[in-house]
Amino acid sequence: MKNTRLSAVLAALPFVLGITVGSSAHAGLVAPGATLTPLIVAGDPNGTPPDSPGNRVDPNTPTSAFSGVVSINIRYSGKSFICSGTLVSKRDVVTAGHCIDVDGNGTKIDINAAGNDVRVVFNASSVVGDPNRAIMTAASVSMNPDYQGFGNCPVGVGGFCLNDDIAVITLGADAPSGAKIYKAWDGAVPDGQLATLVGYGLSGTGNVGYTVSPNFRVKRSGQNNMEYFEGDDELNFASGREVWYADFDGGGLDTFCDFGIACHPGLGNDKEAGIGGGDSGGSTFLFDGNDYYLMGNNTFGSNFGPGGPPPGAFGNYFGGMVVGAYADYLENATGGRIEIVPEPAMGVLMLAGLGLIGFASRRRKQQAAA
């Protein structure tokens, strides 16, 4: 299955997929009438142990393991969007390419145009007025040159491509001292790799779906397993691992297993998580027992529309980019300031798992300004 396009897998499924563009800037491959969003979703509050969105909220302190995970406010054409990102040097934040794409075709925002800007919101403190809560305007933004818009494939490649959705935001001054800087992981990412997801997007509970709006000052975390990977679209998917997928297991639902693609028991009600609108660009971390390494970003998610699980509920699936596949781009975009490591000292911690299903969508969430 490792070189099988998920689009080919989906062709055999009893869902007719198409492009849906929502009024709140969501787009992607979904069942008719459905919408797609990326987020952190907590488990079922009726499960054991009980869980809720509030249980996943980071304390916003310099000692938090996620003090360098930021929210991002993108503004242009009178619109305001929220995304998430990861600090990888004193000046650089990794996020999703579609967060700074103004037309869905890979056109990078012009931050020098009137009314346009990209702002990074730090949350390494919960004390109003603390410098660790600074809002810093980007001095420059970079989009992976292979990214041609969400779902768009390279010339000569058919289908719907999720690849290359990665970007770098560069600040004009150093980030707050309390914000953690993360090293990027360029080692192996095996099937079933345990990942910690962090972002500022929509939240809710697995049995209900999205009930909580994104917030520039509220980040949440959870875990899942990276169960399936797609290769390099410029090489017609023949090799490499650029895109990862996971499903949101719980409430008796295991979507990938139901479709015969991958079976995994899930991580339990207090750990299992999905992603939602506003989590785009957020962190996919590998934890080696001591440190968190940026292993990927979060960029897309899907739901099945009428007759399927509600958006954000158990049974949906999602994913993002594998950071190591874009190491050369990240080195260039950060001017060499990012630190990329081939192997954490204690090795990869992972849970066994197999492939996955599905196709998906993205994306940032339209939001009032920070």
Side-chain angles (χ1 to χ4, degrees):
M1 281 288 293
K2 292 301 159 278
N3 289 323
T4 300
R5 291 287 310 281
L6 290 190
S7 54
V9 174
L10 285 176
L13 302 183
F15 295 100
V16 179
L17 301 182
I19 301 296
T20 299
V21 180
S23 61
S24 57
H26 304 128
L29 287 177
V30 293
T35 57
L36 279 181
T37 46
L39 116 134
I40 299 296
V41 181
D44 185 339
N46 299 315
T48 303
D51 202 0
S52 71
N55 291 345
R56 304 296 182 92
V57 174
D58 185 80
N60 284 350
T61 64
T63 58
S64 165
F66 309 127
S67 64
V69 179
V70 301
S71 61
I72 301 167
N73 186 198
I74 307 99
R75 300 188 296 186
Y76 61 88
S77 301
K79 301 174 183 177
S80 178
F81 298 91
I82 181 173
C83 276
S84 301
T86 309
L87 187 68
V88 295
S89 82
K90 290 182 179 181
R91 296 287 180 103
D92 301 292
V93 171
V94 173
T95 188
H98 71 253
C99 289
I100 58 170
D101 178 1
V102 298
D103 63 4
N105 292 307
T107 302
K108 183 178 67 175
I109 182 174
D110 179 1
I111 60 173
N112 296 312
N116 291 7
D117 61 13
V118 174
R119 304 190 300 166
V120 175
V121 182
F122 288 91
N123 288 293
S125 172
S126 59
V127 179
V128 175
D130 190 307
N132 284 316
R133 287 170 60 88
I135 300 176
M136 302 182 66
T137 301
S140 64
V141 294
S142 168
M143 180 186 291
N144 186 325
D146 290 331
Y147 180 72
Q148 303 297 316
F150 188 80
N152 296 335
C153 294
V155 175
V157 176
F160 189 93
C161 296
L162 296 163
N163 307 59
D164 310 317
D165 194 354
I166 192 165
V168 172
I169 297 169
T170 299
L171 305 171
D174 289 353
S177 60
K180 180 177 175 63
I181 295 171
Y182 301 92
K183 299 175 183 178
W185 166 241
D186 190 23
V189 183
D191 295 356
Q193 172 66 53
L194 179 64
T196 298
L197 314 170
V198 188
Y200 290 80
L202 291 163
S203 191
T205 55
N207 62 325
V208 174
Y210 304 142
T211 58
V212 180
S213 297
N215 191 311
F216 290 103
R217 294 295 186 184
V218 180
K219 62 178 174 283
R220 293 180 172 85
S221 64
Q223 295 181 338
N224 213 304
N225 295 101
M226 303 164 79
E227 296 180 295
Y228 189 90
F229 299 84
E230 282 190 339
D232 188 340
D233 54 336
E234 276 75 38
L235 298 177
N236 207 23
F237 304 93
S239 64
R241 290 192 165 194
E242 289 193 344
V243 180
W244 65 271
Y245 293 79
D247 64 353
F248 188 25
D249 297 326
L253 296 176
D254 186 341
T255 297
F256 297 168
C257 192
D258 290 344
F259 284 104
I261 297 169
C263 293
H264 192 277
L267 299 174
N269 192 57
D270 59 337
K271 295 182 177 67
E272 188 87 8
I275 62 173
D279 286 321
S280 283
S283 314
T284 310
F285 285 126
L286 179 150
F287 182 59
D288 73 349
N290 292 307
D291 294 311
Y292 285 92
Y293 296 83
L294 184 64
M295 179 170 50
N297 66 4
N298 310 318
T299 63
F300 63 87
S302 107
N303 70 78
F304 293 107
F314 293 133
N316 288 292
Y317 54 93
F318 60 95
M321 305 301 103
V322 179
V323 162
Y326 304 101
D328 289 345
Y329 161 71
L330 293 172
E331 284 273 8
N332 290 332
T334 63
R337 290 182 293 271
I338 189 172
E339 184 173 352
I340 300 176
V341 295
E343 186 89 22
M346 296 185 67
V348 178
L349 301 181
M350 54 88 66
L351 298 180
L354 294 173
L356 113 23
I357 126 179
F359 235 132
S361 148
R362 55 161 177 187
R363 129 156 200 134
R364 65 190 175 195
K365 176 75 174 179
Q366 191 161 357
Q367 184 82 348

